[in-house]
Structures are given as structure tokens and as C-alpha cells.
Amino acid sequence: MKFILFYLPSVGTLGQTRKGMAGINSQNYQNMLWQVSEQIKFADRAGFWGAAFTEHHFHIEGIEESNNPILLDLYFGMQTTRIRLGQMANVLPFHNPLRLAEDIAMLDQMLQGRTFFGIARGYQKRWADVLGQTYGVGGTMSDKSEVDAKNRRLFLEHYEIIKKAWTTDVFSHKSEHWTIPPENLNFGHEVVTKYGKGQTPEGIVTHIGTAPKTFQKPHPPIFQPFSFSEDTFRFCAREAIAPFALSTCDDTLHDLFTVYREEAAAAGHNFAHGQNIGIFRDALVLDDAAEAHKYAAMGNGFVWPAWFAPIGFNEAFRKKGQTGKIGPECDYNYLNENGFEFVGNPDQVNRQIENMVKKHNPEYFLMWQYPGPIPHHIQMRNLELWATEILPNWND
């Protein structure tokens, strides 16, 4: 199994966050950069497979302050030698797909293939509806609305353009929102004719290409977090994208993993059960289980009820066949009882992983980390115990 550290990351201690506006404090941000640097450098030496950052904007509160995961990947990647750095994820509908394709290719070249590429559709309306004005689209929680439908169409268009940019020397593209290149684009530069491609003798540009291409061929691994729906798993299976499951219901996970394998096989991808799929959980290991739960309650036990539950992420805890609305009310005990917390001493967490592997055998395990709310020395001890007491039992 491949272990990936997932950082939002939070900026500011729990006390600073509760005072308000922790995210705009420069010292808080510098503290985060130093702490995460030390943690990822240790993870690099200890044999963790990867570390990931997400994309969200305007987080003045200090929770999930991760405007540009690609820049964070490069910053931490330049301090390490083996660990892979990537995104969970880039929100495709709000990006210029050509610029994003170029940025990821540059990152992959600079880190010589130690990257992975994450894609998502975008759900946080505060920033998605602001930045989405360029394309007339906003955030969505997959509610089948008109906004949701347009978001999905842009997501698929941008995904197709990015793949073309990476896998072809030059290309053209025509879709609902894009004509690449624009019709009758007259460039007329003789260097294109002599040393490039995609221009007619009359100087009309018919194809464009991006450079550099990605270091990995045909492109870096592609991940899609965080998946609830069968439709998402089917799309990922057809494209050989690795989806990351949020659900804690074993029956739901079994159904999604089965659908993925069957759909992938129909598309010509031969995956074993659980191969090319990830599971996402909060994770903290300490010598003393009670202490681990105490600190986890300061991390995800604070952030999830305050931030994610009101947005609708308690859907992760819906049981197969359960109907009706799942409310936002929850606390750390609720998260733990529903199986989202891989927290305790090494023996307890090894048993949780063993149970997960027996039932689902995921290729990837995404581990939520909380620098800021959880003190740095606790985070480091947690990583030490993962490296010595857990990873050797499960690493590929």
C-alpha cells in the first residue's frame, strides 16, 4: 500500500484560529511552512510514498489555506529527494486548462517525475462562484442543478484539453467553451514553419502545442478526490484515474470498488480489486491511545464539525440504504464511531489498517495531517511511529 500525507494545510494554532483571522498572520504562515517542511523532509527519509495539498481560496480563517498546491509541491519538492508531491486536487472548471497543463509539466520536469496530478470539480461556493465568473460557472455538491451540469461539462472539457496537451506534439480542440486555436489565427512566422508545426504555408495556425511535456510518460498519475458517487468511480475507471473514497460504509465501498474494477475492465484496464483506488482517513498515532485521541480531537475533531460538516461532508458516513438527510451536527466521538479516525496506538491502528486491507485492499491510503491545531512535536512523533511501527507492515 502507498501512504500519502494530506495537508490542507491549517495556518495557526487551535487557539489562534478561535481568536479569528489567523490566516492573514504572516508569522502563522511562516510557522506552517517550517513545520510542514520538517514533517515532509522526515517523511521523505522514512519512506512515505507521497504528500499532497489541495486547492482552495480566500481562507482568511486559517483553515485549509492552500491557494496553489502546485507552488507548495515545488517548495517542498525542492527540499526532498524521493517523496512524490502532488495535488488533491486542482479544481479544473476554474483553471485555464492550457496554463494548468504547462504548470504541471514544469513541476514534473523540475522534480523529475516525483509528481502526481489531482483533479476535482469544486464545491466551496465562496471562492468557486467568485473565480468561476470567467466561465460563468460556480461550485457544486453534485445536486443535478444547471450550475452542476455546466460545472461537469467544463470539468470534462478541461480534462480532455490537458490530456491532449501532454500526449501530443501539437493538437487542436473544438468544444462548447473552447476553440483551440481560434479560427483564422494568422501568425505567419517563418520560424514556426522551419522549426515547429501547426502552421499552413499561408501562415494560419491550425494546431498548437505546449512545452515542456511531462517528465513521466504519457503523463503523471491522475487522482480524483473525494468520491461519493458511482458515476465518479465509473468515469475514473474508464480513464484509469485513481479515485479516493471518503465513505466509511464498508458495503458502499465494496460496491464502488466492484463497479470500478468492472468498468475499468470494460475499458481495457485490468485492475485487481482495490488496485488504483485510494481511501481517505484522518490519521494520528501516538504511544498512548488516549493522548492520540486527545490531539486528534484538536485537529479533525475541531475542523470537521466547524467547516466540513456544515458544507455537507457528513454524507461520508451514510450507510448503504440509509435515506433522509444527515445533519451537520457531529463531534470527534461521532467521527471516531463512524470509522473515519485511524487514531490510537500503533497496535490499534495496525489492526484498523489490517481490517481495511482485508475488506477493500486499496492501493493508496491518504492520511489527513493537521499541523497548526496539532502541535508540531506531536505531528513529528506521529510520523516517527508510522515510519517504524506501521509502514514496514504495509508498504509495497
Side-chain angles (χ1 to χ4, degrees):
M1 191 156 55
K2 300 177 176 72
F3 292 84
I4 305 174
L5 302 174
F6 179 57
Y7 291 93
L8 293 178
S10 295
V11 173
T13 65
L14 182 58
Q16 289 166 336
T17 302
R18 284 174 166 160
K19 288 179 181 179
M21 299 295 286
I24 66 171
N25 184 295
S26 291
Q27 188 58 57
N28 287 351
Y29 196 79
Q30 290 297 314
N31 290 343
M32 179 277 291
L33 290 176
W34 181 83
Q35 290 177 20
V36 177
S37 291
E38 292 301 302
Q39 291 168 29
I40 291 181
K41 285 189 290 186
F42 176 84
D44 180 50
R45 298 190 299 270
F48 284 83
W49 188 85
F53 303 89
T54 188
E55 180 195 354
H56 289 300
H57 303 270
F58 314 148
H59 278 234
I60 54 177
E61 302 85 4
I63 298 172
E64 206 169 15
E65 193 165 332
S66 187
N67 309 348
N68 188 327
I70 300 170
L71 276 180
L72 289 170
D73 290 336
L74 182 59
Y75 179 76
F76 298 113
M78 297 302 289
Q79 302 179 58
T80 53
T81 59
R82 291 175 293 184
I83 194 169
R84 294 162 177 82
L85 285 302
Q87 314 89 46
M88 292 283 182
N90 303 282
V91 184
L92 293 196
F94 309 101
H95 280 277
N96 180 309
L98 295 172
R99 293 292 300 272
L100 183 57
E102 291 174 332
D103 288 349
I104 294 295
M106 290 176 67
L107 176 69
D108 199 38
Q109 288 286 348
M110 291 173 182
L111 299 187
Q112 296 185 333
R114 290 192 294 123
T115 60
F116 50 91
F117 178 57
I119 59 176
R121 294 181 56 206
Y123 66 90
Q124 289 193 17
K125 293 180 68 64
R126 176 173 63 172
W127 74 262
D129 287 24
V130 173
L131 298 186
Q133 293 177 85
T134 301
Y135 300 111
V137 70
T140 176
M141 287 295 285
S142 300
D143 58 4
K144 309 301 181 183
S145 65
E146 183 178 341
V147 170
D148 176 56
K150 184 168 185 179
N151 180 293
R152 181 177 293 278
R153 294 199 303 274
L154 262 172
F155 170 84
L156 294 173
E157 281 184 58
H158 289 185
Y159 169 72
E160 183 179 353
I161 291 167
I162 290 167
K163 282 211 310 179
K164 284 184 177 181
W166 285 342
T167 58
T168 60
D169 289 346
V170 294
F171 70 96
S172 61
H173 180 87
K174 179 77 171 177
S175 58
E176 179 182 356
H177 300 97
W178 287 92
T179 299
I180 302 172
E183 294 179 359
N184 299 315
L185 173 58
N186 192 330
F187 188 47
H189 201 304
E190 65 178 11
V191 168
V192 177
T193 302
K194 286 183 177 181
Y195 308 126
K197 292 181 179 179
Q199 182 176 273
T200 70
E202 295 75 30
I204 302 299
V205 178
T206 59
H207 296 76
I208 60 101
T210 60
K213 301 303 180 187
T214 57
F215 186 86
Q216 298 173 84
K217 304 302 180 189
H219 49 67
I222 302 178
F223 296 158
Q224 185 167 353
F226 294 106
S227 303
F228 290 102
S229 72
E230 183 177 308
D231 287 345
T232 298
F233 266 69
R234 288 187 182 279
F235 163 72
C236 289
R238 292 191 296 271
E239 295 292 323
I241 295 169
F244 280 69
L246 198 60
S247 174
T248 60
C249 173
D250 285 329
D251 291 336
T252 298
L253 289 174
H254 179 269
D255 290 349
L256 291 173
F257 280 42
T258 300
V259 160
Y260 183 88
R261 183 181 182 187
E262 292 173 350
E263 191 80 12
H269 310 300
N270 184 26
F271 293 131
H273 187 82
Q275 185 180 0
N276 209 42
I277 302 176
I279 288 179
F280 174 41
R281 296 290 183 263
D282 188 34
L284 186 69
V285 174
L286 294 174
D287 301 276
D288 180 79
E291 187 178 30
H293 285 290
K294 181 188 79 171
Y295 283 109
M298 295 169 58
N300 197 47
F302 166 69
V303 175
W304 187 285
W307 185 258
F308 291 100
I311 295 175
F313 272 71
N314 280 0
E315 280 295 314
F317 312 125
R318 184 179 294 279
K319 303 295 189 292
K320 183 179 178 180
Q322 182 179 353
T323 59
K325 184 178 180 181
I326 298 180
E329 298 79 14
C330 68
D331 57 15
Y332 176 73
N333 289 332
Y334 176 87
L335 300 172
N336 191 41
E337 291 166 0
N338 276 279
F340 193 71
E341 303 297 312
F342 275 47
V343 173
N345 62 39
D347 180 65
Q348 291 169 333
V349 173
N350 267 312
R351 291 179 185 276
Q352 286 183 285
I353 294 173
E354 181 181 22
N355 182 58
M356 177 181 68
V357 169
K358 284 182 177 179
K359 290 180 177 179
H360 309 297
N361 197 33
E363 181 172 352
Y364 302 97
F365 184 59
L366 187 64
M367 306 162 51
W368 211 343
Q369 304 297 292
Y370 275 100
I374 298 177
H376 175 62
H377 73 281
I378 297 297
Q379 287 287 120
M380 290 298 292
R381 180 57 181 159
N382 159 66
L383 292 175
E384 290 169 3
L385 288 171
W386 275 92
T388 57
E389 304 295 331
I390 298 177
L391 261 61
N393 299 326
W394 308 104
N395 256 343
D396 291 343

